[in-house]
Amino acid sequence: MQQEKTKRLVVLGAGESGVGAAVLGKARNWDVFVSDVGTIAPKYKEEMEREGIAYEEGGHTAEKILNADMCVKSPGIPLSAPLVVQLQSRGIEVVSEIEFAGRYSTAPMLCITGSNGKTTTTLLLHHILTAAGIDAGLAGNVGHSLARQVARTPHKCYVIELSSFQLDNMYDFRANIAILLNITPDHLDRYEHCMANYARAKMRITRNQTPDDRFIYWVDDPQTQLHLGDVHGEAAWLPFTDRNDDSMAASVADGVITFRTGDKTWSMARSGLSLPGRHNLYNSLAAGLAATAFGVDTDVIREALGTFAPVEHRLEPAGTVDGVRYINDSKATNVDSTFYALEAMEAPTVLILGGKDKGNDYSQIDTLVDEKVKGIVAMGVDNSKIMAHFGGRVKQIADTHSLEEALNACRRMAQQGDVVLLSPACASFDLFNSYQDRGRRFKQAVKEMGGR
């Protein structure tokens, strides 16, 4: 009897998701090869060497890749990349790490996507499940690779943050609970500068859902409403709103939040939420609904919604200097995120904007700038767009090209009782390695100024 040929798995990209997929592939008897065009981090090299996984860095060797039976690609690699096009032209299946991992797990998957609020909602839902004593893995854009967890530390269920890039290459994966927070312009360069293409990518989170599953969404989001016809699957819909509307699965009236999932209705005071701001109200509504639909005790949900600590780089207090509060919202990499941050401000605000512009329309925050902002500090290599848009709109504006220069300008503008808000509305890659690097350097600088 002829022995079945070992199938070959090629992984493009040796980051957290790629190496996790390689570990799972090795555990399931694939012949695994990992290829990265850049330099692989030492910790991932060590892991692959321990696992006996072959790899290359600094470029792709086509003949070692195009003989694959399946390819798992990094979310950062577009479908239009020449090597991906070649793979698909040969009929080789190209999938995401999440798709690959899902084929080896029957655990419930609670998945969150949206242009803004994904990380907070993911961590909040995981916090609720953990508080309930549920063995829940944390995966996707936060936590550890889903594939590695499936291979090495399987959990009873998983809470997964999903970007549109990850959803692009998911086909058979099923989200038992799918949360769509919102759809606003972001990453349009990846989607032919077409909002409809981006929205359809987000809607892929509902693929393969059955009548036993749940689709949770913000009913007042215009783009979500526009694309509800693109919803896949047969899940029960659970819309939420911050209005008084008893027909919604979650709504707010007179300071009271009510959750309704068909078989269960319960309420809590909005003042009991630990996270401030309207955007965090939406995140709390979505997480609370998901936990309710998953069968978590309502007393546990109520308590957990009140004890959750803010996410790093999202409206995170960085310290107070000379009576001025400094807030780190470095994760605001688009205008919509900055809108929500400004909406939460209750004191005169000096706003730090700038970085790598992604085609921003700053007019979206004009009304809030008029109402709340006393000065703008542009921080980036090229601030011409910010300076041109806001130059005649605010009394104080500064063009700066380093963190030190920006904070010096903030100190000149801010007075006791004011807020300095780092909410850049731009990617970080002109002056910083990442939004995390930008936020941590901001916090360190505030600390060195005497912040406490």
Side-chain angles (χ1 to χ4, degrees):
M1 183 175 177
Q2 190 173 5
Q3 187 174 2
E4 187 177 346
K5 176 180 173 290
T6 301
K7 290 188 175 181
R8 182 169 174 81
L9 176 71
V10 169
V11 179
L12 298 181
E16 175 65 20
S17 67
V19 175
V23 168
L24 176 59
K26 182 75 174 180
R28 297 305 171 113
N29 299 315
W30 289 77
D31 170 25
V32 182
F33 178 69
V34 179
S35 179
D36 197 305
V37 74
T39 301
I40 301 174
K43 68 175 183 178
Y44 293 130
K45 284 186 189 179
E46 292 167 9
E47 184 175 13
M48 288 188 288
E49 287 164 6
R50 274 198 317 271
E51 298 283 345
I53 295 169
Y55 66 87
E56 66 177 353
E57 60 182 332
H60 297 306
T61 304
E63 55 266 29
K64 293 182 178 180
I65 293 169
L66 296 176
N67 62 353
D69 292 290
M70 180 185 292
C71 173
V72 174
K73 78 169 185 65
S74 162
I77 301 173
L79 287 169
S80 58
L83 198 53
V84 176
V85 172
Q86 284 183 275
L87 284 161
Q88 292 185 317
S89 71
R90 296 184 178 210
I92 298 168
E93 189 177 19
V94 178
V95 302
S96 69
E97 175 244 340
I98 303 294
E99 171 73 19
F100 184 63
R103 296 181 182 186
Y104 292 102
S105 176
T106 58
M109 304 288 178
L110 289 71
C111 302
I112 300 94
T113 195
S115 302
N116 299 293
K118 295 188 296 295
T119 301
T120 298
T121 305
T122 301
L123 294 174
L124 179 53
L125 179 54
H126 184 261
H127 171 71
I128 296 169
L129 298 184
T130 301
I134 296 171
D135 174 29
L138 184 64
N141 285 350
V142 293
H144 297 291
S145 156
L146 176 63
R148 183 187 283 102
Q149 291 180 66
V150 169
R152 296 286 179 250
T153 56
H155 297 277
K156 297 294 185 184
C157 66
Y158 296 91
V159 183
I160 309 171
E161 177 187 336
L162 294 174
S163 69
S164 58
F165 296 171
Q166 290 165 312
L167 290 164
D168 282 336
N169 287 101
M170 285 169 46
Y171 305 102
D172 299 326
F173 182 88
R174 171 186 165 203
N176 301 86
I177 294 180
I179 297 174
L180 174 61
L181 294 166
N182 47 60
I183 306 173
T184 60
D186 203 3
H187 305 300
L188 294 187
D189 52 337
R190 180 81 170 250
Y191 295 98
E192 301 174 339
H193 297 279
C194 175
M195 189 67 186
N197 289 347
Y198 174 59
R200 281 193 286 269
K202 289 293 188 188
M203 288 298 180
R204 289 176 67 88
I205 196 171
T206 62
R207 287 177 66 90
N208 307 306
Q209 286 197 292
T210 73
D212 293 329
D213 301 326
R214 299 294 179 266
F215 170 47
I216 296 169
Y217 65 100
W218 178 28
V219 74
D220 301 313
D221 180 58
Q223 285 293 329
T224 299
Q225 277 292 334
L226 191 62
H227 291 278
L228 285 175
D230 295 318
V231 170
H232 307 260
E234 302 176 319
W237 292 16
L238 297 177
F240 64 87
T241 181
D242 62 346
R243 295 179 283 105
N244 180 7
D245 188 339
D246 291 347
S247 69
M248 297 292 109
S251 60
V252 184
D254 299 322
V256 176
I257 301 170
T258 302
F259 296 94
R260 310 170 186 87
T261 58
D263 59 340
K264 189 180 296 184
T265 298
W266 66 281
S267 299
M268 69 174 290
R270 179 177 175 177
S271 61
L273 300 178
S274 66
L275 297 177
R278 186 156 64 106
H279 64 297
N280 277 323
L281 171 61
Y282 300 143
N283 299 337
S284 299
L285 291 172
L289 260 183
T292 304
F294 198 60
V296 178
D297 182 83
T298 57
D299 288 338
V300 173
I301 301 172
R302 186 182 291 108
E303 182 176 355
L305 287 173
T307 58
F308 180 71
V311 176
E312 187 179 17
H313 312 301
R314 281 310 263 145
L315 291 177
E316 178 191 15
T320 299
V321 181
D322 299 329
V324 176
R325 288 190 301 122
Y326 288 74
I327 296 177
N328 169 30
D329 196 49
S330 181
K331 201 172 189 298
T333 58
N334 57 48
V335 177
D336 200 59
S337 287
T338 300
F339 178 95
Y340 286 123
L342 281 174
E343 195 175 50
M345 295 301 102
E346 297 179 353
T349 300
V350 175
L351 175 63
I352 303 175
L353 289 173
K356 185 179 178 184
D357 187 284
K358 298 188 285 186
N360 289 351
D361 176 8
Y362 292 106
S363 65
Q364 296 175 51
I365 59 172
D366 280 350
T367 301
L368 285 170
V369 167
D370 292 345
E371 179 186 345
K372 302 192 176 194
V373 174
K374 64 182 294 183
I376 286 177
V377 175
M379 180 178 69
V381 171
D382 180 5
N383 299 316
S384 55
K385 186 173 176 180
I386 293 169
M387 298 299 292
H389 184 85
F390 293 106
R393 193 160 209 108
V394 292
K395 291 181 179 179
Q396 302 180 85
I397 190 165
D399 184 6
T400 70
H401 306 285
S402 70
L403 178 59
E404 181 182 12
E405 195 180 348
L407 286 173
N408 286 337
C410 290
R411 295 192 83 167
R412 290 193 297 270
M413 293 182 191
Q415 299 175 323
Q416 186 171 354
D418 291 347
V419 167
V420 170
L421 172 65
L422 171 68
S423 189
C426 297
S428 58
F429 303 122
D430 58 343
L431 296 178
F432 306 93
N433 295 327
S434 63
Y435 77 79
Q436 294 98 327
D437 176 48
R438 178 171 60 190
R440 286 167 189 157
R441 285 170 60 183
F442 174 78
K443 290 190 291 183
Q444 181 61 33
V446 173
K447 184 178 178 180
E448 290 170 0
M449 286 160 44
R452 58 181 62 195

